[in-house]
Amino acid sequence: MAGDVTLAALEARLARLEDTEAVRETWLDYCTQIDLADFERLGDVFAEDAELELDGLAPTVDGTYRGRR
């Protein structure tokens, strides 16, 4: 690491690490809910305005889903 690291550079690195960890936590939560088939909690992983398209998974579930539920 260079000796001329600025506070702004450190803040940017910290923000990136925090963002990366948030993505990992969200991915783990998503995978856990899928594995448990807990579809009520799975909805909580997504934003209120989420949109999911399923195609080719199974005729009974294929389609476009909007929102958490």
Side-chain angles (χ1 to χ4, degrees), residues 33 38-48 50 67-69:
Q33 303 320 316
D38 188 343
F39 300 112
E40 184 68 27
R41 292 224 30 226
L42 179 63
D44 294 338
V45 176
F46 296 94
E48 289 289 340
R68 286 188 174 169
R69 304 295 163 219

Side-chain angles (χ1 to χ4, degrees), residues 1 4 6 8 10 15-16 18 24-25 28 30-32 36 43-44 48 51 63-65 68:
M1 185 186 308
D4 61 345
T6 66
L10 288 173
R16 179 168 165 70
E18 290 175 333
R24 285 185 180 135
E25 288 176 13
L28 177 61
Y30 171 83
C31 292
T32 299
L36 296 173
D44 294 338
E48 289 289 340
E51 185 171 303
T64 299
Y65 299 85
R68 286 188 174 169

Side-chain angles (χ1 to χ4, degrees), residues 30 52-58 61-65:
Y30 171 83
L52 172 67
E53 288 185 40
L54 298 176
D55 184 26
L57 188 62
V61 296
D62 282 352
T64 299
Y65 299 85

